[in-house]
């Protein structure tokens, strides 16, 4: 059963499967901001990526001398969560591994995901628990997709730090970091996204702005390592959605060793401890 959060401005729907944000309806503007999840283009809406973001090289990694196969973006997005607490403006979901994922990820863990609704802002917090007796290695990220109006004219605008780099990909893996003196707005066009995602380091916030009517989605994620901007290309055309993806961690480097503890930008969590990460989405 879907979980509903609502106030005078927004009506938000979340699916306990994957603890996935499925709908944000702006009651004042009478419009839906989230992508509808059409499988012709991309069948998801806002999956949570864990325990990796992106891919491991050749589809596997090695930990403690053993080889593990793990699919792109991990498995959390396809797990059933239980509801820990819920009221009109917030909900918390929990997933615990309980031995079910040791064949692909050798760490006992739990993840609590909380959504909170305040005015026109949806706040998202991920709390990662290491339930194991050894240090746990992982990444976690968001992948929310926003609907694009057919007659819209969109661009991305950025709040960035000084040392911004653009990461380029080869066959889905990081191959180089290109320093950016300035980070100018990026138009949402076929040419911009025909090859793959656009990925930056040291960005604190991204706005997706429809220049025709001013409708804006603002994602704030201070302290996150990376942000990815992505859409699919179908029939040589831009799909009717675009993603703003705040990441803690990223796909493997093209020259990755394959060892999990050496993975680019991997997070570490000591045994029986936890760590939280938060970002927010404002619908303007």
């Amino acid at each position: 059963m879907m979980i509903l959060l609502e106030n005078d401005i927004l009506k938000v729907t979340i699916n306990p499967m994957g603890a996935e944000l499925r709908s944000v309806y702006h009651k004042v503007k009478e419009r839906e901001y989230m992508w509808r999840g059409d499988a012709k283009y991309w069948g998801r809406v806002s999956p949570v990526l864990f325990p990796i973001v992106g891919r491991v090289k050749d589809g596997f990694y090695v930990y403690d001398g053993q080889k593990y196969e793990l699919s792109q973006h991990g498995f959390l997005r396809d797990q059933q969560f239980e509801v820990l607490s819920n009221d009109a403006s917030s909900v918390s979901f929990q997933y615990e591994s309980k031995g079910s994922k040791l064949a692909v990820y050798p760490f006992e863990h739990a993840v609590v995901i909380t959504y909170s609704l305040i005015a026109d802002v949806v706040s998202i917090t991920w709390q990662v628990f290491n339930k194991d007796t050894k240090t746990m290695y992982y990444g976690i990220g968001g992948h929310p997709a926003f609907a694009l109006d057919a007659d819209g004219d969109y661009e991305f605008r950025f709040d960035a730090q000084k040392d911004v780099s653009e990461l380029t990909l080869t066959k889905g893996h990081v191959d180089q970091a290109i320093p950016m003196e300035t980070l100018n707005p990026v138009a949402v066009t076929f040419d911009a996204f025909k090859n793959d995602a656009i990925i930056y380091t040291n960005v604190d916030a991204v706005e997706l702005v429809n220049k025709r009517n001013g409708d804006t989605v603002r994602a704030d994620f201070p302290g996150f390592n990376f942000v990815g901007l992505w859409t699919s290309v179908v029939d040589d055309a831009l799909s009717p959605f675009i993603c703003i993806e705040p990441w803690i961690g990223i796909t493997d480097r093209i020259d990755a060793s394959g060892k999990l503890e050496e993975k680019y930008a991997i997070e570490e969590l000591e045994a029986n401890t936890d760590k939280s990460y938060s970002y927010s989405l404002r619908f303007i």
Side-chain angles (χ1 to χ4, degrees):
M1 183 178 69
M2 295 286 187
I3 301 296
L4 178 66
L5 308 180
E6 187 171 3
N7 61 18
D8 292 339
I9 302 172
L10 299 179
K11 182 185 293 186
V12 176
T13 305
I14 305 145
N15 191 346
M17 176 59 71
E20 183 181 18
L21 178 65
R22 298 290 298 185
S23 172
V24 176
Y25 181 76
H26 200 295
K27 296 160 66 176
V28 179
K29 295 192 173 188
E30 298 183 334
R31 69 156 294 178
E32 172 63 52
Y33 273 83
M34 302 304 294
W35 165 239
R36 66 184 183 274
D38 184 344
K40 175 183 177 181
Y41 302 97
W42 188 56
R44 299 183 188 269
V45 178
S46 183
V48 180
L49 318 179
F50 179 89
I52 59 169
V53 174
R55 304 172 183 172
V56 286
K57 189 177 179 182
D58 298 322
F60 71 89
Y61 65 90
V62 175
Y63 175 76
D64 197 24
Q66 187 170 339
K67 177 179 173 180
Y68 297 88
E69 295 184 358
L70 190 58
S71 59
Q72 183 178 20
H73 295 324
F75 50 75
L76 191 66
R77 57 190 176 175
D78 295 316
Q79 306 308 308
Q80 185 71 38
F81 282 68
E82 65 171 311
V83 176
L84 289 181
S85 62
N86 180 209
D87 58 33
S89 61
S90 68
V91 61
S92 291
F93 301 92
Q94 178 176 258
Y95 165 76
E96 291 191 67
S97 58
K98 297 180 180 178
S100 63
K101 296 300 175 185
L102 294 177
V104 295
Y105 185 62
F107 307 97
E108 294 288 12
H109 61 277
V111 180
V112 172
I113 299 177
T114 300
Y115 294 89
S116 300
L117 178 59
I118 303 174
D120 59 358
V121 175
V122 179
S123 177
I124 302 102
T125 298
W126 309 314
Q127 189 174 10
V128 179
F129 295 83
N130 181 355
K131 298 283 190 177
D132 217 303
T133 57
K134 55 186 179 289
T135 300
M136 185 172 82
Y137 300 91
Y138 66 96
I140 191 166
H143 204 311
F146 308 102
L148 298 177
D149 292 342
D151 60 350
D153 181 11
Y154 292 88
E155 71 177 15
F156 287 112
R157 301 171 186 173
F158 305 92
D159 290 356
Q161 302 171 32
K162 292 182 179 179
D163 301 322
V164 176
S165 294
E166 180 177 359
L167 303 184
T168 61
L169 302 176
T170 296
K171 297 181 179 179
H173 298 297
V174 175
D175 61 1
Q176 59 180 323
I178 302 171
M180 310 281 290
E181 290 187 6
T182 58
L183 189 51
N184 296 317
V186 173
V188 178
T189 63
F190 173 77
D191 286 342
F193 290 92
K194 64 183 178 181
N195 293 323
D196 209 327
I198 299 172
I199 303 170
Y200 297 114
T201 66
N202 296 328
V203 171
D204 292 325
V206 176
E207 290 184 345
L208 172 66
V209 181
N210 185 346
K211 294 189 292 180
R212 294 199 189 279
N213 60 16
D215 284 354
T216 300
V217 177
R218 178 182 173 89
D220 283 274
F221 42 89
F224 279 54
N225 308 79
F226 312 96
V227 63
L229 311 174
W230 176 81
T231 186
S232 64
V233 173
V234 177
D235 299 330
D236 292 322
L238 199 69
S239 293
F241 73 90
I242 195 80
C243 296
I244 302 173
E245 307 179 35
W247 297 336
I248 299 291
I250 197 169
T251 193
D252 269 359
R253 292 184 185 272
I254 195 71
D255 59 352
S257 70
K259 293 181 179 180
L260 182 62
E261 59 269 36
E262 297 176 358
K263 180 174 169 55
Y264 180 31
I266 196 74
E267 289 282 283
E268 299 182 18
L269 190 59
E270 296 300 314
N272 298 308
T273 62
D274 63 274
K275 189 171 183 179
S276 295
Y277 310 86
S278 296
Y279 77 100
S280 65
L281 299 172
R282 185 181 182 195
F283 300 88
I284 305 167

